[in-house]
Amino acid sequence: MKLTEYNNLIEQHADGIYRFALKHLKNEMDAQDIVQNTYLKTWEKHETIVIENGKSYLFTVAINLIRNFVTYEKRYTSEEDIMNHTFNETSSQFDLKEILDKALDQLPEIQKTVILLRDYEGYNYDEIGKITNLSESQVKVYIFRARKTLQGILKDQTFVV
């Protein structure tokens, strides 16, 4: 991949990678760090990347960086910090975005990833499979299970109007 192709690739997909990282991490600065590290790792391998696979490569790198970050955070975050960041369930004014984010956070990591790639980023099953190293049928199963789980979670929500 040449410099101009790299720059075009980054320009086209920067917002998508940022949104994807932000959905996973819920922290703007952490999401920005993931995006920057994605650019850096992509640049380090730019000579070996085929431009047609550039978008998938970017998201694969981002997913791996997010996984590493989450693993590190789980290891070093205290329970008190986690309790301070939980959703306030006594609030009488529910925001749909907060409810959906809370429901997404309850999914296993792989289900959350495939749902975000499919429903938020618009990837098809084959592209998601390439990004996550899953077969197309595995992607479909994970998406089906995630949607069923989300449906159950959202049905259990008590809405105060």
Side-chain angles (χ1 to χ4, degrees), residues 4 21 23-24 27 31 60 66 94 108 110 115 127 137 148 161:
T4 56
K23 279 287 183 194
H24 274 281
N27 181 302
T60 301
I66 290 167
F94 287 100
I110 188 64
I115 281 289
E127 291 173 320
S137 60
K148 280 294 191 190
V161 181

Side-chain angles (χ1 to χ4, degrees), residues 107-108 110-112 114-115 137-153:
L107 293 175
I110 188 64
Q111 289 181 8
K112 182 178 180 179
V114 295
I115 281 289
S137 60
Q138 287 175 308
V139 170
K140 289 178 181 179
V141 168
Y142 281 128
I143 289 174
F144 175 79
R145 290 179 182 167
R147 287 178 177 161
K148 280 294 191 190
T149 303
L150 287 171
Q151 184 180 25
I153 291 169

Side-chain angles (χ1 to χ4, degrees), residues 25-156:
L25 302 175
K26 307 284 187 265
N27 181 302
E28 290 181 12
M29 291 186 70
D30 292 339
Q32 290 171 356
D33 287 344
I34 293 295
V35 171
Q36 289 299 318
N37 287 330
T38 299
Y39 298 161
L40 179 63
K41 291 202 178 285
T42 303
W43 178 251
E44 290 171 352
K45 302 282 185 178
H46 78 281
E47 293 176 354
T48 61
I49 300 170
V50 179
I51 190 65
E52 290 78 25
N53 300 333
K55 181 178 177 184
S56 295
Y57 187 87
L58 284 172
F59 275 90
T60 301
V61 170
I63 287 170
N64 290 332
L65 289 169
I66 290 167
R67 284 182 185 152
N68 292 343
F69 181 83
V70 169
T71 302
Y72 179 83
E73 285 295 307
K74 282 182 182 176
R75 213 175 268 153
Y76 296 105
T77 302
S78 70
E79 287 183 28
E80 185 177 311
D81 291 341
I82 293 170
M83 296 304 290
N84 289 336
H85 290 89
T86 57
F87 180 73
N88 182 3
E89 301 208 36
T90 59
S91 173
S92 62
Q93 294 184 341
F94 287 100
D95 180 27
L96 182 58
K97 182 183 177 312
E98 290 178 14
I99 292 169
L100 289 173
D101 286 345
K102 180 183 174 194
L104 280 170
D105 287 341
Q106 294 179 36
L107 293 175
E109 189 66 30
I110 188 64
Q111 289 181 8
K112 182 178 180 179
T113 298
V114 295
I115 281 289
L116 289 174
L117 287 171
R118 176 73 178 162
D119 295 337
Y120 283 81
E121 299 302 325
Y123 281 101
N124 64 40
Y125 297 118
D126 185 50
E127 291 173 320
I128 296 170
K130 288 178 184 173
I131 291 169
T132 58
N133 294 321
L134 299 170
S135 70
E136 188 173 333
S137 60
Q138 287 175 308
V139 170
K140 289 178 181 179
V141 168
Y142 281 128
I143 289 174
F144 175 79
R145 290 179 182 167
R147 287 178 177 161
K148 280 294 191 190
T149 303
L150 287 171
Q151 184 180 25
I153 291 169
L154 294 174
K155 278 185 180 178
D156 292 340

